[in-house]
Amino acid sequence: MYYNSRWILRTWGAAMEQRDMAGILMQGRLTISDEIYNRILMKIIEGQWQVGDKLPSEKQLCELFGASRVSVRTALSRLAARGIIFTRQGK
């Protein structure tokens, strides 16, 4: 997954926005992966990443957020589980 796949933003619309304030995590103490999840989600909400865009690689996201690959992968997996992003095998 790390080298041969791409995370791609899936559809984003009113249905997602209505769900739990777009799924932003705000209760209690947040883990690093929670913070990364929130920051990626905010970039999507704010329109920095559009539907169909390829997200930066895991390595680039690690550098962007100053976090480990495990934390980034956990955040990406949570976004994928919610149907916000999906992965496609690289060519």
Side-chain angles (χ1 to χ4, degrees), residues 7-88:
W7 289 98
I8 300 169
L9 180 58
R10 194 180 288 269
T11 58
W12 180 261
M16 183 61 72
E17 292 177 49
Q18 293 171 0
R19 241 197 305 163
D20 194 33
M21 285 192 59
I24 295 174
L25 305 172
M26 295 188 288
Q27 290 184 318
R29 187 175 285 189
L30 300 178
T31 64
I32 293 171
S33 63
D34 292 338
E35 291 286 345
I36 295 167
Y37 171 91
N38 285 344
R39 290 176 65 186
I40 292 172
L41 195 54
M42 286 306 301
K43 288 181 178 289
I44 294 168
I45 292 168
E46 292 169 354
Q48 292 181 29
W49 293 327
Q50 301 294 317
V51 172
D53 283 354
K54 291 181 182 177
L55 299 182
S57 69
E58 289 177 4
K59 181 179 178 184
Q60 291 170 323
L61 290 171
C62 289
E63 293 169 1
L64 178 66
F65 299 125
S68 71
R69 186 170 161 210
V70 171
S71 296
V72 168
R73 283 184 142 203
T74 301
L76 292 172
S77 295
R78 189 176 303 138
L79 289 163
R82 295 205 55 220
I84 297 171
I85 64 172
F86 68 98
T87 188
R88 181 174 14 181

